[in-house]
Amino acid sequence: KQFLLFSSVLVGLSVGLAAMVLKSFVHYIFLFSQYISSGNYKYLPLVLPLIGILLTVLAVKYILRGKMEKGLWNIHFALAKKSSDIPKEQMYAQILTSSLTVGFGGSAGLEAPIVSTGAAFGSNYSKTYDLDKKEKTLLLACGIAAGIAAVFNAPIAGVLFALEVLIIDISISAFTPLILSAATGALISKIFLNDDVLLSFQL
């Protein structure tokens, strides 16, 4: 039990750092796209999303070698048919492709990418220590909760997302690891990210 609690914090820390990288990449790619379109190229913003999609396709083909799983259905499939095993490539694939797509103005969000990334971190951490399916599923859920918490600064929403949407049959004893992981992810994101990353509010 103590090992799982400690592991949930480590998973939350790792996913929090991954979320920080994702948000930073999106933010700075967006600033770059705004910079290059601020001159006399007034029609360039219309094609920036297409440029982002093209770069994403090239990244999937030449960097990821086609090893790219899209959508949350892969997590459900891994839970049901693959003993909660998720490929290592998913730990960074979504960060790369989503940064390019969203940063250049594509109509996509960060929820699915960080959920896939967090699940991959939790799953591969579990494989490192040869944990059983139940423990692996719990740490996969911890990764999901930490990802949502870190990207949206919403640890409670991260826990509820993991419990109600993906891991609906998890036991009540899993609340403590999930809360620890979500709180760690949100804390890491809050400490290291500037307030002006993605959204800035001034009163």
Side-chain angles (χ1 to χ4, degrees):
K1 183 178 178 180
Q2 292 176 344
F3 176 76
L4 285 177
L5 293 177
F6 180 70
S7 297
S8 68
V9 174
L10 289 182
V11 170
L13 175 64
S14 302
V15 178
L17 292 174
M20 182 185 70
V21 171
L22 173 61
K23 292 179 72 174
S24 297
F25 277 4
V26 171
H27 179 66
Y28 290 114
I29 291 174
F30 171 74
L31 292 181
F32 172 73
S33 66
Q34 294 298 301
Y35 173 77
I36 63 177
S37 62
S38 62
N40 296 324
Y41 307 101
K42 59 181 180 179
Y43 296 110
L44 186 59
L46 298 177
V47 299
L48 283 176
L50 296 178
I51 294 175
I53 293 173
L54 175 62
L55 292 175
T56 301
V57 171
L58 294 175
V60 171
K61 184 175 181 180
Y62 294 106
I63 298 178
L64 301 176
R65 304 295 181 183
K67 297 178 180 180
M68 177 71 181
E69 297 181 355
K70 298 177 291 184
L72 301 183
W73 70 270
N74 292 291
I75 299 176
H76 291 281
F77 183 77
L79 290 170
K81 301 294 184 180
K82 298 171 65 177
S83 298
S84 300
D85 285 341
I86 297 177
K88 290 183 178 180
E89 291 81 9
Q90 296 305 306
M91 297 171 67
Y92 57 86
Q94 297 280 353
I95 294 177
L96 175 61
T97 56
S98 298
S99 297
L100 292 171
T101 302
V102 178
F104 279 100
S107 58
L110 300 182
E111 180 181 357
I114 197 57
V115 167
S116 297
T117 302
F121 269 92
S123 175
N124 284 278
Y125 177 93
S126 303
K127 285 190 287 186
T128 302
Y129 294 97
D130 197 26
L131 302 180
D132 60 30
K133 182 181 178 181
K134 183 178 179 181
E135 295 167 337
K136 190 182 297 183
T137 301
L138 174 58
L139 290 181
L140 185 152
C142 287
I144 292 172
I148 294 292
V151 166
F152 300 106
N153 193 27
I156 301 301
V159 173
L160 293 178
F161 187 95
L163 285 174
E164 296 181 8
V165 178
L166 296 176
I167 325 292
I168 57 176
D169 60 342
I170 207 165
S171 64
I172 194 69
S173 62
F175 267 109
T176 301
L178 284 172
I179 292 173
L180 282 175
S181 187
T184 303
L187 186 61
I188 291 298
S189 179
K190 190 71 173 177
I191 290 174
F192 290 103
L193 280 180
N194 295 325
D195 291 336
D196 60 346
V197 172
L198 291 186
L199 296 173
S200 179
F201 297 97
Q202 294 181 354
L203 297 178

